[in-house]
């Protein structure tokens, strides 16, 4: 049993039953390797020319996230949750082609690994996406395009394509017990939950244009 360094939203400790082990430093910069980061673990100072450092000036309220989200200029289709709860997340892609994933604490919801996502709770979709990515991965991201909408049992989720522009994965919040940086070849075995398959399929189609933009 391991205690997450970050308490939950009520200030209670989060106990991790089966903590992850970090991958060796050699995996960090190798685009063919799966890199795994743990809370407050080691990390490179720079990755693909972009520094890694905790994002200390992240917004503290809905208004701040909304202001950041207002700076992203791309078209997206209308969103119809069809009476379900709305949520948003992102597939964050590195310039080397790897994709950031989260390992939910204690495999919450039956997910061993997944894309960062959360309910809107009154926020607009883009603001929700960048907020949830930060809270679950520690990363600061820029949304670049609409990816796919996925219907689940009780919610409709919109996913965006995103690029990392700052932050640090070891600063992940309590909802994640590890953050993975995965090559495309490792995505399918990692993403075993059926809900992630439409995202994986959409990402495979969009990734070449994103990484070579």
């Amino acid at each position: 049993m391991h205690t997450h360094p970050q308490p939950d939203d009520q200030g209670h400790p989060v106990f991790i039953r089966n903590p992850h082990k970090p991958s060796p430093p050699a995996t960090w910069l190798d685009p063919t390797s799966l890199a795994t980061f743990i809370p407050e673990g080691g990390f490179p100072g720079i990755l693909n020319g972009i520094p890694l450092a905790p994002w200390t000036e992240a917004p503290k309220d809905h208004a701040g996230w909304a202001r950041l989200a207002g700076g992203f200029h791309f078209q997206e289709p209308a969103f119809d949750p069809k009476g379900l709860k709305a949520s948003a997340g992102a597939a964050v892609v590195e310039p080397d082609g790897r994709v950031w994933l989260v390992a939910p604490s204690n495999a919450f919801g039956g997910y061993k690994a997944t894309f960062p996502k959360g309910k809107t709770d009154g926020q607009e979709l883009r603001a929700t996406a960048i907020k949830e990515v930060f809270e679950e991965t520690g990363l600061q991201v820029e949304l670049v395009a609409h990816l796919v909408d996925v219907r689940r049992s009780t919610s409709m989720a919109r996913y965006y394509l995103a690029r990392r522009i700052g932050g640090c994965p070891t600063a992940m919040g309590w909802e994640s017990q590890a953050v993975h940086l995965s090559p495309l070849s490792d995505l399918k075995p990692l993403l075993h939950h059926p809900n992630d398959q439409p995202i994986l399929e959409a990402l495979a189609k969009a990734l070449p244009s994103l990484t070579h933009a």
Side-chain angles (χ1 to χ4, degrees):
M1 189 76 71
H2 174 79
T3 303
H4 198 293
Q6 301 293 331
D8 67 15
D9 292 340
Q10 287 72 47
H12 300 145
V14 177
F15 300 104
I16 305 299
R17 292 188 293 271
N18 297 296
H20 283 68
K21 293 182 179 180
S23 60
T27 64
W28 296 346
L29 307 181
D30 180 1
T32 66
S33 293
L34 173 67
T36 298
F37 302 89
I38 62 171
E40 298 186 349
F43 61 92
I46 193 166
L47 176 63
N48 297 311
I50 305 168
L52 284 171
W55 185 18
T56 58
E57 298 181 355
K60 306 298 184 185
D61 55 28
H62 281 13
W65 291 109
R67 283 193 295 271
L68 283 184
F72 306 140
H73 304 293
F74 58 88
Q75 298 295 316
E76 60 182 297
F79 181 74
D80 180 8
K82 303 183 185 303
L84 302 172
K85 295 179 180 178
S87 60
V92 185
V93 183
E94 278 290 309
D96 64 16
R98 289 184 288 179
V99 181
W100 292 95
L101 303 174
V102 297
S105 294
N106 298 315
F108 182 80
Y111 293 87
K112 295 180 181 179
T114 189
F115 299 95
K117 175 197 71 73
K119 296 177 182 177
T120 56
D121 292 331
Q123 283 189 307
E124 63 100 26
L125 293 165
R126 296 185 183 191
T128 297
I130 59 175
K131 175 178 178 287
E132 292 298 324
V133 169
F134 171 66
E135 291 181 346
E136 297 182 11
T137 70
L139 302 179
Q140 178 185 5
V141 300
E142 172 190 22
L143 304 183
V144 298
H146 167 259
L147 180 60
V148 68
D149 294 344
V150 179
R151 180 168 182 163
R152 303 192 177 196
S153 57
T154 61
S155 68
M156 180 72 75
R158 168 152 294 185
Y159 287 87
Y160 296 93
L161 285 172
R163 296 189 181 100
R164 176 179 62 88
I165 59 174
C168 180
T170 64
M172 70 192 79
W174 66 271
E175 293 177 293
S176 303
Q177 67 179 63
V179 173
H180 302 299
L181 182 56
S182 173
L184 282 180
S185 58
D186 288 328
L187 283 179
K188 190 171 183 178
L190 282 171
L191 298 170
H192 72 288
H193 201 289
N195 284 344
D196 284 329
Q197 296 314 301
I199 312 162
L200 182 58
E201 293 170 6
L203 181 61
K205 296 177 181 177
L207 189 54
S209 61
L210 179 71
T211 55
H212 294 102

